[in-house]
Amino acid sequence: MKYNIFRITNVLFMQKRFFKKVQVRVRFAPSPTGSLHVGGLRTALYNYLFARANNGAFILRIEDTDQSRCIPDAIEKIQCDLLWSGIIPDEDPIRGGPAGPYIQSKRLEIYKDQVLKLINNQSAYYCFCTENRLQLLRREAIKRGEVPKYDNRCRHISNDEVKAKLDKGSPFCIRFKLSAGIESFDDLIYGKIEHDIAQREGDPIIIKTDGYPTYHFANVVDDHLMEISHVLRGIEWQVSTPKHIMMYKAFNWTPPLYGHLPLVLNFDGSKLSKRQSDISIESFRKEGIFPLAVLNYVTHAGGGFDNKGGALYIDSYEELIKQFNISKIKVSSNKLSPPKLLEFNRIEIAKLLANEKNNAFLIERIKTLVIEAFPNRQTDGNLQLDDNHIISVLKWAQHRISKLSDLVSPKLAFLWHIPTTSFDDTMLGCKLDALKIISMKLIETEIQNFNKEWINKYLKEFANEHEISYPTLMKALRFVLSGLKEGPPVSEMMEILGKDSTVLRIKRYIS
């Protein structure tokens, strides 16, 4: 799919936002290493709802310091996925804001200036260890059955030796000095958390040899300079939070409040992966899943809401904002339930159809799906895509389908084009004369009487009068109308196709 960044810019420009200092400022900071999936969307959504519920600001920041893993166009796709989901940032790489740039690779000078403060107050140091030495340390630790960690050797190099190596142009990185002892903090979701970081790992790199910051350093600097008040992020970062708090202390800054969101797992209990195409937001959009169905799917898997309606009700954006409560977030991992997503989407389709203002939008969505599914039929003009037909199909199918893409499945392809069937008298089980009589009767029928009740009654009477097995007649008509041996009731097929299309298909078969 080609993303139109200029269109997004125009949409965002029309939304009047005013930058001002607010008490609550939260951020969603994805790395552009793959498609946005439901796990990332959950993090973005919870931050967005928390900001809106507290009259705060929601910021999108792109963390692309690991350039080797960045994927072209990923930033643009993430922004498109958020826009589609209705999660609109107040500050982001497109619209900018008072604390930009909002892409980390454009903030390198900021990180260089800030890391010098830690060098000067002796909270960080230059490390000249080669990769060979670090590999040797890893192998020796593994042999001893220990967890590999850096031995902090360069922490003890004299200032004169450091200066000599820098003057010589020796490659270096910069490491942060971890403090010994237990560092604790109050997690907004999990309560008091304690870790002895220095016992478990060596001093971490904060500026890599290529001059780019690591995640740990860049996110601390950015969160402070962007005045982030609360950090809601995945549970996988909880173990690193004491390390981040140490950096705040080294800078003499006040850290934000932290809340870590429990894992969202696949239905089988496995971890979500960016390589899974079935959980990406882009795949949902292409299949005809609607944004609110996805958002409700996510909130039901992660807690934080009343969910009083269960799976029989879809909360609106306003209701989600009003309901969101951090204290209600479950601390245990939560499994996604794909059937629940389809149920939510079925409900959303019905809600959209109930309001005629949505007709134009739905019609365009269906036209795009049909044309993409049957490109050859489009060129020969053999697609039935008038607006009234599309709305009739949607109303008929709303309780039969879970997503819009179901409407172009092989079993429902007859809704959009005349099937390419050849004459087969044995398949029909009845003579063509019977079909000719039926077509003549349908032509004479007033269009206002052309409904499944009348059709069903007439066909039963016809079968009895002409001594044709009713099931045989239904099988023949179904084949003529759709090319299918099995499918929806014939009377419903005729009603949804309409009088003219039904007669046309019977006549074309006969001829």
Side-chain angles (χ1 to χ4, degrees):
M1 176 180 288
K2 180 64 177 175
Y3 290 84
N4 190 336
I5 200 70
F6 298 105
R7 174 182 169 276
I8 298 174
T9 305
N10 290 335
V11 171
L12 297 177
F13 181 75
M14 289 189 294
Q15 298 187 32
K16 294 183 179 180
R17 306 268 185 184
F18 299 94
F19 302 124
K20 60 181 180 180
K21 187 173 181 178
V22 292
Q23 184 177 1
V24 170
R25 285 175 64 84
V26 295
R27 47 75 167 177
F28 174 53
S31 58
T33 56
S35 300
L36 182 67
H37 62 56
V38 291
L41 182 71
R42 190 273 302 264
T43 301
L45 175 64
Y46 281 29
N47 277 280
Y48 173 79
L49 296 176
F50 185 73
R52 293 291 172 265
N54 292 279
N55 296 315
F58 171 67
I59 297 159
L60 173 64
R61 184 175 75 221
I62 302 299
E63 299 195 338
D64 63 341
T65 56
D66 190 347
Q67 292 285 293
S68 64
R69 297 177 60 228
C70 293
I71 296 176
D73 299 329
I75 296 177
E76 192 175 325
K77 289 180 179 180
I78 289 171
Q79 292 175 296
C80 285
D81 287 338
L82 290 176
L83 179 63
W84 174 83
S85 303
I87 300 174
I88 313 299
D90 299 289
E91 304 166 30
D92 62 27
I94 293 178
R95 72 179 65 197
Y102 294 91
I103 299 178
Q104 286 186 335
S105 59
K106 296 182 179 181
R107 297 173 61 84
L108 298 184
E109 291 302 317
I110 295 174
Y111 306 131
K112 288 178 182 178
D113 290 341
Q114 294 299 324
V115 79
L116 288 178
K117 295 179 181 178
L118 298 185
I119 292 286
N120 292 334
N121 69 17
Q122 298 183 357
S123 297
Y125 60 91
Y126 295 97
C127 175
F128 301 94
C129 290
T130 63
E131 184 59 31
N132 286 337
R133 180 176 187 274
L134 297 176
Q135 288 289 357
L136 181 61
L137 287 176
R138 293 189 190 101
R139 286 196 295 268
E140 290 178 347
I142 292 172
K143 285 181 181 179
R144 296 192 301 268
E146 301 174 355
V147 177
K149 68 176 183 177
Y150 180 56
D151 60 0
N152 300 346
R153 175 184 178 182
C154 289
R155 182 196 277 215
H156 309 292
I157 296 178
S158 67
N159 291 338
D160 290 340
E161 189 175 352
V162 169
K163 185 177 184 305
K165 287 182 177 293
L166 292 176
D167 291 341
K168 186 180 177 181
S170 299
F172 68 87
C173 65
I174 298 177
R175 293 180 181 270
F176 177 73
K177 293 181 181 179
L178 294 178
S179 303
I182 294 176
E183 184 72 52
S184 65
F185 71 98
D186 290 321
D187 192 303
L188 294 171
I189 297 169
Y190 286 83
K192 187 174 183 180
I193 301 296
E194 295 181 337
H195 285 294
D196 190 341
I197 299 294
Q199 189 177 37
R200 190 182 66 246
E201 61 181 270
D203 293 338
I205 296 173
I206 54 177
I207 298 292
K208 295 176 287 187
T209 304
D210 62 5
Y212 278 78
T214 59
Y215 166 82
H216 302 292
F217 182 70
N219 103 86
V220 166
V221 171
D222 290 344
D223 284 349
H224 173 73
L225 296 181
M226 294 180 183
E227 299 182 359
I228 301 302
S229 61
H230 299 73
V231 173
L232 302 181
R233 59 186 178 186
I235 186 63
E236 65 271 20
W237 296 112
Q238 188 184 69
V239 70
S240 298
T241 300
K243 184 190 310 181
H244 300 162
I245 293 175
M246 287 183 191
M247 292 185 197
Y248 274 97
K249 291 180 178 179
F251 276 115
N252 199 26
W253 294 341
T254 301
L257 299 177
Y258 289 93
H260 293 88
L261 305 173
L263 285 176
V264 176
L265 305 173
N266 287 305
F267 187 68
D268 61 3
S270 61
K271 289 186 177 181
L272 303 183
S273 169
K274 288 187 177 182
R275 291 183 290 274
Q276 284 180 249
S277 60
D278 61 334
I279 60 168
S280 73
I281 307 308
E282 183 178 3
S283 70
F284 293 151
R285 182 169 64 245
K286 287 181 177 179
E287 288 186 6
I289 302 293
F290 287 98
L292 271 177
V294 177
L295 298 190
N296 278 262
Y297 177 50
V298 169
T299 59
H300 275 250
F305 303 85
D306 292 333
N307 298 140
K308 292 179 180 178
L312 301 177
Y313 181 80
I314 279 192
D315 288 313
S316 66
Y317 289 97
E318 293 77 9
E319 289 168 326
L320 288 174
I321 292 170
K322 185 177 180 180
Q323 287 183 27
F324 182 61
N325 187 335
I326 289 181
S327 65
K328 292 183 179 180
I329 295 177
K330 306 170 187 176
V331 297
S332 58
S333 299
N334 302 277
K335 295 180 182 179
L336 294 172
S337 176
K340 188 173 286 188
L341 171 62
L342 298 180
E343 179 63 27
F344 280 134
N345 202 56
R346 190 180 296 113
I347 297 169
E348 181 65 0
I349 290 173
K351 284 182 67 176
L352 290 170
L353 270 172
N355 188 341
E356 291 185 359
K357 293 180 180 179
N358 297 315
N359 283 5
F361 159 73
L362 291 169
I363 287 169
E364 288 306 309
R365 289 290 300 275
I366 296 301
K367 284 183 178 179
T368 299
L369 276 173
V370 173
I371 291 171
E372 289 178 351
F374 312 109
N376 295 334
R377 301 286 181 176
Q378 171 70 2
T379 56
D380 61 21
N382 192 21
L383 286 181
Q384 189 173 351
L385 288 177
D386 59 279
D387 293 358
N388 290 334
H389 176 65
I390 291 175
I391 293 300
S392 295
V393 166
L394 280 169
K395 289 181 178 179
W396 169 78
Q398 62 180 304
H399 300 301
R400 292 176 168 85
I401 63 173
S402 300
K403 50 188 186 295
L404 295 185
S405 59
D406 292 343
L407 290 173
V408 294
S409 65
K411 288 186 176 181
L412 294 180
F414 75 89
L415 293 167
W416 314 110
H417 66 79
I418 298 173
T420 54
T421 54
S422 57
F423 174 72
D424 186 346
D425 200 19
T426 59
M427 171 64 204
L428 289 178
C430 62
K431 301 298 183 182
L432 288 178
D433 288 345
L435 295 179
K436 291 178 182 178
I437 297 172
I438 290 174
S439 67
M440 292 296 294
K441 178 64 176 178
L442 297 181
I443 291 172
E444 297 171 0
T445 304
E446 295 290 337
I447 195 166
Q448 61 266 27
N449 296 327
F450 194 82
N451 55 63
K452 62 183 180 182
E453 289 78 15
W454 177 86
I455 294 169
N456 204 39
K457 181 174 180 291
Y458 165 69
L459 292 177
K460 285 183 177 180
E461 292 174 350
F462 179 88
N464 184 56
E465 181 182 344
H466 292 81
E467 298 182 345
I468 301 173
S469 164
Y470 182 70
T472 299
L473 179 61
M474 294 301 98
K475 181 179 180 181
L477 285 171
R478 180 178 291 108
F479 181 72
V480 170
L481 295 172
S482 67
L484 300 173
K485 295 181 180 180
E486 296 179 353
V490 171
S491 58
E492 290 188 20
M493 275 187 172
M494 290 183 169
E495 182 181 54
I496 196 65
L497 288 172
K499 173 182 170 179
D500 293 341
S501 182
T502 298
V503 172
L504 174 63
R505 294 186 184 207
I506 295 175
K507 279 188 170 184
R508 285 186 62 163
Y509 189 88
I510 293 172
S511 64

